[in-house]
Amino acid sequence: MSEPRPEILAAFEAAKGFMPVGEGLALYAAAAEAGKLGLPLLEVGTYCGRSTILLADAAREAGTVAVTVDHHRGSEEQQPGWEYHDPTVVDPEVGAMDTLPTFRRTLRKAGLEDHVIAVVGRSPQVAKVWGGELGLVFIDGGHTDEHATNDYEGWAPRVAPGGLLVIHDVFPDPADGGQAPYRIYLRALESGGFEEVSVTDSLRVLRRTA
């Protein structure tokens, strides 16, 4: 299994975000494998770039590029008054979340700016204008049914044959977390177009078979 260099793992651990190290290592291994297809590796849900570091380094190693899509205004649970709100990423001038500056600093500190294309926009709109195949799609955006479904319907069809679909925050037990990512995970399996490759805590890796 491919693992990131120590300095990349250190940058990942230092970055603002929510992904545990074990899931990060599984994501990196998936990205390294998918990178062999020579196609871009795409992430839905950038936040401050914690997981982007891993995708970017795997893309660098493979000679391809990581693409990360986010409107940078924060998902539902990151708004004021919610569990994951962080006041340090609020733009005081407009009074709204803006994670883009923090994300850019994260990439620069990790030395990975040249290996990432950051798309600032809403996932369904970006998916509609995206033309090519992808080696990997990592869905880690909004966790409502609407957002998770839009991310799945917009991006899963872009995964090339043999490429990987990775879904974060998959919790079969409702007591552990929201069910929207779990529902799109089941939908992917039931479609007949994906088979499960690995399970690491809440991270699921699926391969496109058809």
Side-chain angles (χ1 to χ4, degrees):
M1 185 173 95
S2 299
E3 293 190 359
R5 291 170 291 138
E7 61 268 30
I8 293 298
L9 187 57
F12 165 80
E13 292 188 87
K16 189 185 293 288
F18 309 104
M19 176 173 277
V21 172
E23 293 180 342
L25 293 174
L27 174 64
Y28 185 89
E33 180 184 341
K36 295 173 184 176
L37 294 174
L39 296 168
L41 313 176
L42 184 137
E43 167 184 60
V44 180
T46 312
Y47 191 51
C48 295
R50 185 175 170 98
S51 54
T52 316
I53 289 172
L54 302 177
L55 295 179
D57 190 61
R60 181 191 62 79
E61 290 282 347
T64 183
V65 68
V67 180
T68 185
V69 179
D70 200 312
H71 50 66
H72 287 280
R73 293 301 186 195
S75 57
E76 306 77 19
E77 65 270 21
Q78 291 161 2
Q79 302 307 317
W82 290 75
E83 181 179 1
Y84 293 105
H85 180 62
D86 182 346
T88 68
V89 289
V90 173
D91 180 342
E93 188 171 328
V94 300
M97 294 272 294
D98 186 3
T99 54
L100 184 57
T102 306
F103 161 68
R104 295 203 69 179
R105 287 192 291 270
T106 297
L107 276 192
R108 188 169 185 84
K109 288 176 185 175
L112 291 167
E113 285 182 301
D114 292 345
H115 306 284
V116 178
I117 297 171
V119 181
V120 181
R122 296 191 176 275
S123 169
Q125 292 173 308
V126 179
K128 284 179 182 176
V129 299
W130 185 270
E133 289 186 319
L134 296 161
L136 176 142
V137 167
F138 174 42
I139 296 180
D140 192 22
H143 287 19
T144 64
D145 276 305
E146 177 189 3
H147 289 140
T149 297
N150 284 342
D151 291 341
Y152 174 78
E153 292 180 352
W155 293 108
R158 312 290 188 195
V159 179
L164 300 177
L165 173 65
V166 184
I167 305 174
H168 194 216
D169 294 325
V170 174
F171 298 111
D173 185 347
D176 295 328
Q179 294 294 284
Y182 179 57
R183 282 190 273 271
I184 63 167
Y185 156 76
L186 292 179
R187 183 172 168 185
L189 290 177
E190 291 163 0
S191 74
F194 294 92
E195 62 182 10
E196 188 163 86
V197 175
S198 70
V199 174
T200 305
D201 297 327
S202 77
L203 193 83
R204 301 293 189 275
V205 179
L206 310 176
R207 188 185 316 279
R208 183 164 200 86
T209 56

